[in-house]
Amino acid sequence: MESNLINKDEEVIRRSKTEIVLKLLEYLKPYKLKSFIVILLMIIVMICGIINPLLLEIAIDNYVVNKNVEGLMIIGAALVIINLIAWILSKIRWTMITSVTNNILVNIRHQLYSHIQTLSFDFFDSRPVGKILARVVGDVNALKNLFSQSIQSFIPQLLNLVCVAVIMFILNFKLALACTILLPILGIAMFYIEIHSRRRWEVYRNKRSNLNGFTHEDFSGIKVVQGFAREKETEKNFKAMVKELGDAFIKAVKLNDFFWPLVELSWGAGTLVVFFVGYKLITNNEIKIGTLIAFLMYVGMFWRPIMNLSNFYNTLITNFSAADRIFDILDVKPVIKNSKNAKNIGKIHGTVEFKNVSFSYDDNTEVLKNVSFKVNKGERIALVGPTGAGKSTIISLLSRFYDPTSGEILIDGKNIKYVDLESLRSQMGIMLQDTFLFSTTIMENIRYGRLDASDEEVIAAAKAVNAHDFIMKLEKGYHTEVNERGSRLSLGQRQLVSFARALLANPRILILDEATSNIDTETEKLVQSGIEKLLYSRTSFVVAHRLSTIRDCDKIMVIDNGRIAELGNHDELIRKKGIYYDLYMTQYKFLNE
């Protein structure tokens, strides 16, 4: 799917009705037995309903006319028992339908969530998070009525319609023909509505997704909004998007509202036709009054399932767009995934090699150009260079967030393209400039590095990177809630927590991508010894603009315009008086000033 902005409608593949229905029915397979029981109960209830008019016909034509009180009592008792059974079975049916529907929605949401977690970064790069949330929450919820009605309406109501129609034609062919004469006109009208209605619901769901994306982005950046006093502007945009959503909904609902009047109009007209034909038949002594009354009851029983089926069809049309949006994501294949014969990489020792690696995010611009280098076990490598030179791309390729356009990346001599992703990434520690903390305690945020770690191990990791002292000064120490994205802590404190998390994970390859850029000078002094312990005996890649932090690295690679422009340690590169020398002297001069 193409990249989407907040206010741009998403381009979703429209699937055929048959394809969507077949895909949705797949989710009913685990509940085949329950669905069968529900349908069976509905058939029994349906039969109970069909028997009612027949018993009434017998009561009128045989017992009322002959004043047979005993026979009427028996018929009355039979009606009470039959309807009581139908009521009890209906209650059981509704309980089972609710259970099945909720379980299916849970399964779809779990499947969607699990699938999204497997998708590559390009999927998230091209979509606002709010639009993804709209599909996981809102679009899945939209399927609830679809599943409940598919179980309770489609098959049972179709059977009910067929059975009633057969009985009507058995009772009297002319009356049955009169009742069904308007069905073709109704079918044509509904088909016309469906063509235009589905498109309108697609527009509505796109507008709702846009609003969701805008709201999520606005609240995530609320500090920027308030910092620049842009509340009025964002409120104006919000109102405009809400209006678009409301207009799209009203436009869709207006067309859908024609379903019910059409069916009711056909029902009423059909009943009038039956009355007229029935009157003629009675005056000609072709039928008895009891037969007409019974038939009129069957007219209601004939049109009621048509009404329910129309409602189901209406629900289908309303939610086809939601199903399309869900399957649109489920059909996205992760670009980065395990190869067919992927093997566990085993314990990583830490030798890393790039062989003629080139990479581009699109077909136009090459970010890396034929990059080759080798890093031995335990070495510390610094990547420096101007913004956009390709430093972070090298890190992303090493972590296999992307695959190179050409060339190979080897760890311990194994091409990472053919190893199990989890076995690779579980032994790598990645620390980014924008440290992400979860909305939980400091203890749990550090423990995220190794979920089975004890409290003592968590505290030991925090002490090692000099985070323990500031944590203990907080109101609840390690049990302090850090709020969303760690907003309760300073930038430097978040970095210290992330250092502890990485140390606890004990990665074999460690990546620090501008990880110390947000730490002030005072905090940097505290954490420097912790970083030394973090880097000890691990192959480490350090991306840094602050060159003073990488002087002790074994190798420094200067990346410029997608290539390795210079390679050596600090002293060697200073003596060369090339790009690194210029960068270093510029920073040195700036700091002195």
Side-chain angles (χ1 to χ4, degrees):
M1 292 176 285
E2 295 184 8
S3 176
N4 291 306
L5 301 175
I6 290 293
N7 59 351
K8 180 182 177 184
D9 290 349
E10 297 169 278
E11 296 180 11
V12 180
I13 298 171
R14 180 187 283 193
R15 292 156 182 80
S16 67
K17 294 189 288 289
T18 304
E19 182 183 354
I20 291 176
V21 170
L22 289 176
K23 281 179 175 286
L24 292 174
L25 287 176
E26 286 290 318
Y27 293 100
L28 277 172
K29 281 186 176 180
Y31 307 99
K32 286 186 290 187
L33 179 59
K34 281 189 174 182
S35 299
F36 174 76
I37 293 172
V38 167
I39 292 171
L40 186 62
L41 292 176
M42 295 194 71
I43 290 172
I44 295 172
V45 172
M46 176 191 71
I47 291 171
C48 291
I50 291 174
I51 290 173
N52 280 332
L54 292 176
L55 291 177
L56 192 60
E57 180 191 14
I58 293 169
I60 293 171
D61 289 343
N62 296 341
Y63 298 128
V64 173
V65 173
N66 298 322
K67 298 181 181 180
N68 187 335
V69 177
E70 185 179 346
L72 284 174
M73 293 289 289
I74 294 171
I75 293 290
L79 284 170
V80 170
I81 293 171
I82 288 171
N83 285 283
L84 183 61
I85 292 172
W87 180 78
I88 293 171
L89 295 182
S90 293
K91 288 287 184 182
I92 297 172
R93 176 197 70 189
W94 272 109
T95 302
M96 295 184 72
I97 287 174
T98 303
S99 172
V100 169
T101 302
N102 287 335
N103 285 334
I104 288 174
L105 292 185
V106 168
N107 292 341
I108 292 176
R109 190 169 278 121
H110 281 169
Q111 181 188 6
L112 191 59
Y113 179 79
S114 300
H115 178 72
I116 289 172
Q117 288 203 113
T118 69
L119 296 179
S120 312
F121 279 9
D122 62 326
F123 173 84
F124 300 95
D125 292 342
S126 63
R127 293 164 178 75
V129 173
K131 290 193 175 186
I132 299 174
L133 291 175
R135 302 201 189 196
V136 176
V137 181
D139 291 330
V140 173
N141 285 341
L143 298 181
K144 183 173 183 178
N145 288 337
L146 190 61
F147 278 108
S148 63
Q149 289 193 29
S150 66
I151 297 172
Q152 75 164 10
S153 292
F154 184 64
I155 296 176
Q157 296 297 334
L158 193 61
L159 286 173
N160 193 5
L161 182 63
V162 171
C163 290
V164 171
V166 169
I167 292 173
M168 286 169 62
F169 276 98
I170 291 173
L171 276 176
N172 191 278
F173 182 80
K174 292 180 181 179
L175 288 175
L177 201 60
C179 181
T180 59
I181 197 169
L182 293 175
L183 281 180
I185 300 173
L186 176 64
I188 293 170
M190 290 177 65
F191 180 73
Y192 174 81
I193 291 173
E194 185 269 335
I195 293 174
H196 298 280
S197 180
R198 182 174 177 183
R199 175 58 193 153
R200 293 187 181 187
W201 283 110
E202 287 172 354
V203 172
Y204 161 72
R205 295 202 180 280
N206 273 333
K207 298 304 180 186
R208 193 184 65 172
S209 180
N210 292 347
L211 179 64
N212 204 77
F214 172 81
T215 307
H216 181 274
E217 184 178 68
D218 184 57
F219 290 157
S220 296
I222 192 65
K223 289 183 179 179
V224 177
V225 174
Q226 293 183 354
F228 285 89
R230 292 291 182 264
E231 292 91 341
K232 293 294 182 182
E233 183 64 26
T234 54
E235 186 177 341
K236 180 182 175 182
N237 293 336
F238 180 78
K239 285 181 177 179
M241 298 185 89
V242 168
K243 185 179 185 305
E244 284 185 353
L245 177 66
D247 292 344
F249 179 75
I250 291 170
K251 193 174 181 181
V253 167
K254 274 183 179 179
L255 193 56
N256 269 65
D257 283 347
F258 277 107
F259 269 94
W260 286 93
L262 274 174
V263 177
E264 289 179 339
L265 184 63
S266 302
W267 185 344
T271 304
L272 287 175
V273 173
V274 169
F275 263 118
F276 178 77
V277 174
Y279 171 76
K280 291 290 186 182
L281 293 176
I282 288 175
T283 54
N284 293 332
N285 293 319
E286 293 185 41
I287 60 171
K288 297 179 180 179
I289 187 69
T291 302
L292 179 59
I293 292 173
F295 199 93
L296 287 171
M297 291 185 69
Y298 279 120
V299 168
M301 295 176 67
F302 176 77
W303 282 100
R304 192 170 295 111
I306 290 178
M307 178 77 79
N308 292 333
L309 287 171
S310 300
N311 188 37
F312 172 66
Y313 189 59
N314 194 6
T315 304
L316 272 180
I317 295 168
T318 303
N319 295 293
F320 271 157
S321 56
D324 271 334
R325 290 163 58 81
I326 291 169
F327 294 133
D328 211 44
I329 288 185
L330 290 175
D331 289 345
V332 173
K333 304 299 181 186
V335 177
I336 306 301
K337 59 183 179 180
N338 285 330
S339 60
K340 189 175 182 181
N341 299 312
K343 296 180 180 178
N344 192 304
I345 196 172
K347 184 177 180 180
I348 290 177
H349 297 291
T351 301
V352 176
E353 186 174 5
F354 275 51
K355 286 186 175 181
N356 304 315
V357 171
S358 297
F359 177 77
S360 60
Y361 290 100
D362 51 50
D363 296 331
N364 301 322
T365 307
E366 212 171 28
V367 182
L368 292 183
K369 304 166 186 176
N370 201 35
V371 171
S372 296
F373 64 83
K374 185 173 182 178
V375 178
N376 295 318
K377 171 187 174 182
E379 285 188 326
R380 303 180 188 181
I381 309 302
L383 302 177
V384 301
T387 302
K391 305 184 298 296
S392 294
T393 301
I394 289 176
I395 299 308
S396 295
L397 291 174
L398 178 60
S399 308
R400 211 186 161 212
F401 294 142
Y402 303 93
D403 279 333
T405 308
S406 62
E408 294 180 320
I409 300 173
L410 309 177
I411 293 181
D412 297 338
K414 299 173 184 176
N415 191 330
I416 64 173
K417 191 172 182 179
Y418 304 112
V419 302
D420 180 75
L421 274 172
E422 185 177 354
S423 70
L424 170 68
R425 291 177 182 166
S426 64
Q427 299 184 71
M428 299 182 72
I430 303 172
M431 298 177 58
L432 306 175
Q433 178 181 358
D434 183 19
T435 300
F436 189 93
L437 298 183
F438 296 95
S439 303
T440 182
T441 64
I442 292 177
M443 176 74 75
E444 293 308 312
N445 267 290
I446 297 175
R447 204 195 309 273
Y448 198 80
R450 181 158 58 84
L451 298 179
D452 60 350
S454 65
D455 289 358
E456 290 73 20
E457 289 173 314
V458 170
I459 294 170
K463 286 180 177 178
V465 297
N466 296 321
H468 179 75
D469 289 343
F470 97 78
I471 293 173
M472 293 307 296
K473 291 177 182 177
L474 298 174
E475 181 184 354
K476 296 182 180 178
Y478 283 87
H479 298 289
T480 301
E481 298 278 346
V482 300
N483 299 340
E484 187 175 3
R485 301 182 68 90
S487 60
R488 187 170 181 178
L489 305 179
S490 69
L491 293 175
Q493 289 172 334
R494 288 181 227 166
Q495 293 287 31
L496 291 173
V497 171
S498 72
F499 282 141
R501 181 166 61 191
L503 181 63
L504 188 65
N506 192 27
R508 304 314 308 152
I509 296 176
L510 183 65
I511 296 169
L512 306 180
D513 190 355
E514 299 286 355
T516 60
S517 61
N518 289 329
I519 298 179
D520 55 68
T521 305
E522 192 65 33
T523 307
E524 185 179 354
K525 292 178 183 178
L526 289 174
V527 81
Q528 205 63 45
S529 62
I531 291 177
E532 285 297 315
K533 184 164 185 178
L534 198 60
L535 299 179
Y536 179 71
S537 78
R538 295 181 174 88
T539 303
S540 307
F541 289 80
V542 182
V543 178
H545 282 117
R546 193 185 298 177
L547 301 184
S548 60
T549 63
I550 60 170
R551 292 186 57 170
D552 296 330
C553 287
D554 299 304
K555 293 178 184 176
I556 298 173
M557 284 193 292
V558 181
I559 312 298
D560 186 37
N561 196 27
R563 300 181 186 275
I564 299 177
E566 296 177 2
L567 178 62
N569 60 36
H570 173 77
D571 294 333
E572 291 170 347
L573 295 180
I574 289 293
R575 285 196 295 269
K576 277 187 178 181
K577 293 193 175 182
I579 298 174
Y580 180 80
Y581 174 83
D582 292 339
L583 289 171
Y584 188 82
M585 295 309 294
T586 300
Q587 282 196 15
Y588 183 77
K589 181 180 178 182
F590 174 77
L591 290 173
N592 281 339
E593 288 176 353

